[in-house]
Amino acid sequence: MTEQSTEGVREVEGWLRSLWGLPRPRGGEAPALAATLVEALGNPQRSAPAVHIVGTAGKGTVASMLTDAIVAGGCSVATHVSPHVHDIRERFTIDGGFASPADLVVAVDEVRAAATIVAREHGRPPTFFAASAALSWVLGRNAGVDVFVTEAGIGGRLDATAVLDRPDTITVITAIGLDHTAELGSTIDAITREKAAVLAGRRIAVLGPQPDPDAAAVVRTCADTAGVELVEVAPAGSWVRDGRAVAAVAADALGELLGVTLPAPLGPPPVGRGERRDIAGRRLLLDGAHNPLKLAALVDALPGDAWPALAVLALGAGKDLDGCARELARLGCPIIVTEFGGATPPRSHRAADVVDALRRHGVDAAAASTTAAAVDRAVERSAPGDAILVTGSFLILADAVAAIGG
């Protein structure tokens, strides 16, 4: 990448990050901001069919595997995922790779101009998430892609991605659990209804394996009310196999829509989900599991050669601290806790509070001032050949990789 191209990408990142710390819109304000944004852009999300992925856990895995299947089948795709781990461009890829710096700058100029219209009409710019989703759709429209694969944010009904309003949109609902309860509700029933509300006006949906049978029952009711054909996927034995099975069913439905045959998804999990690195003869396992549901899946899926001798952890503020601690206690290893965030969101739980919660569950836990210090301490307390798990948030993973010079 040339110096000029690098500067262009930095400018793009700088503008998007300027939206990061804005107050979160409440209720109907979020979809109103997103609707104004895409209308100002000429509704790029309508330029191709879409697969809209909602749920609590497994969205990124399904998006990554489905993207691989689409590309392998000879079709083009613009994919939106959240969050990113190492590079902000992970959020809006074309055919599984980064858009060119020139194409990215053109698309951002379009979105930034539309954002000024949002600010004028609503008194504030769009959210970071709405802007990154719109950027994915603009990049896809400009590239003439065959399909969008779009991962929703925390909800459904009030999510920025709910502007995907073509009736041929294929909905994928992954595992649903208790998370973001302040925004979505305190029960599985309430959270599921928020996410399944996107079924309205659509024709077909894929329901992934559900850890709570109440969630599946609510989705069935919502699909029946909306007149949506619901294809249910049976559990396959692990979160990776479940994700692959869900992606395969979605690929079949998408292939029928596009008039092509898409191969079975065989790609690996996405960045930051079971990612492996080496440090000082130790094996570093990086996984962004950040709520009890995802942490339970992580612990259940750990192979013997990756069972950690120690773990490094940071948990986002607002997460179910006791529930996360309960699942992490199943590792049976010492855990070194650190923090992320600063004056603006997103922030982590205080390390001292996480340590206390872990100790209540019998964990040998201690705090470290930074991720780098936590990784160093984990290396000091382990032996060559040991595995070290870094988890609790995607926001800790890039810091851990930087700490090992990766």
Side-chain angles (χ1 to χ4, degrees):
M1 189 184 298
T2 66
E3 182 176 344
Q4 185 176 8
S5 297
T6 301
E7 185 59 34
V9 172
R10 286 176 180 162
E11 182 181 349
V12 167
E13 181 172 12
W15 177 69
L16 284 172
R17 287 194 179 278
S18 72
L19 305 174
W20 188 287
L22 295 175
R24 181 177 293 175
R26 296 295 179 182
E29 184 184 12
L33 291 169
T36 302
L37 182 64
V38 294
E39 286 167 9
L41 288 164
N43 287 300
Q45 81 283 5
R46 295 177 182 163
S47 63
V51 179
H52 190 198
I53 307 172
V54 302
T56 303
K59 298 191 297 291
T61 296
V62 172
S64 177
M65 292 180 173
L66 183 56
T67 295
D68 287 345
I70 293 168
V71 174
C75 297
S76 57
V77 56
T79 304
H80 174 263
V81 299
S82 176
H84 64 279
V85 178
H86 306 301
D87 191 309
I88 200 167
R89 291 173 293 173
E90 295 165 19
R91 291 176 176 265
F92 28 79
T93 59
I94 299 293
D95 295 338
F98 293 158
S100 73
D103 289 344
L104 184 57
V105 169
V106 167
V108 169
D109 284 346
E110 293 184 54
V111 176
R112 185 156 41 187
T116 63
I117 296 174
V118 175
R120 185 168 63 245
E121 294 190 9
H122 295 271
R124 59 156 292 165
T127 63
F128 170 90
F129 185 83
S132 69
L135 185 53
S136 172
W137 299 324
V138 170
L139 282 167
R141 179 180 63 184
N142 293 354
V145 299
D146 299 306
V147 63
F148 295 113
V149 170
T150 300
E151 178 184 340
I154 65 172
R157 181 176 65 92
L158 300 179
D159 193 74
T161 60
V163 296
L164 290 167
D165 54 3
R166 284 178 49 142
D168 58 358
T169 299
I170 296 170
T171 309
V172 174
I173 301 177
T174 63
I176 295 173
L178 292 173
D179 199 16
H180 298 289
T181 53
E183 295 86 3
L184 303 179
S186 59
T187 66
I188 289 293
D189 183 285
I191 291 172
T192 304
R193 290 185 186 281
E194 282 292 318
K195 294 178 184 292
V198 299
L199 294 174
R202 298 179 182 177
R203 299 169 186 157
I204 187 168
V206 178
L207 177 62
Q210 295 299 316
D212 191 318
D214 288 347
V218 170
V219 173
R220 292 185 195 110
T221 299
C222 292
D224 185 63
T225 300
V228 172
E229 177 188 353
L230 184 65
V231 182
E232 297 192 41
V233 180
S238 74
W239 68 272
V240 174
R241 289 194 288 271
D242 284 352
R244 187 166 286 119
V246 172
V249 173
D252 286 344
L254 181 60
E256 184 174 343
L257 176 66
L258 297 177
V260 300
T261 300
L262 298 179
L266 296 174
V271 173
R273 297 167 177 89
E275 188 177 351
R276 298 194 182 202
R277 302 281 181 128
D278 294 320
I279 175 174
R282 283 75 167 165
R283 289 165 295 118
L284 212 62
L285 180 68
L286 305 166
D287 196 290
H290 53 270
N291 59 42
L293 181 62
K294 294 180 180 180
L295 287 165
L298 169 63
V299 176
D300 288 342
L302 279 172
D305 69 335
W307 201 265
L310 290 105
V312 172
L313 173 73
L315 287 171
K319 298 300 178 182
D320 177 359
L321 193 50
D322 187 71
C324 290
R326 181 181 62 250
E327 298 301 336
L328 288 161
R330 296 166 53 209
L331 292 171
C333 69
I335 298 178
I336 302 168
V337 181
T338 185
E339 300 177 4
F340 59 79
T344 60
R347 303 185 187 93
S348 64
H349 276 293
R350 293 176 59 247
D353 294 338
V354 179
V355 168
D356 288 345
L358 289 167
R359 287 176 176 171
R360 287 195 295 271
H361 286 271
V363 177
D364 174 5
S369 57
T370 65
T371 301
V375 171
D376 286 345
R377 191 177 303 179
V379 170
E380 291 170 2
R381 294 182 59 180
S382 59
D386 281 346
I388 298 171
L389 173 65
V390 181
T391 191
S393 172
F394 286 102
L395 295 171
I396 191 180
L397 303 187
D399 288 343
V401 171
I404 66 173

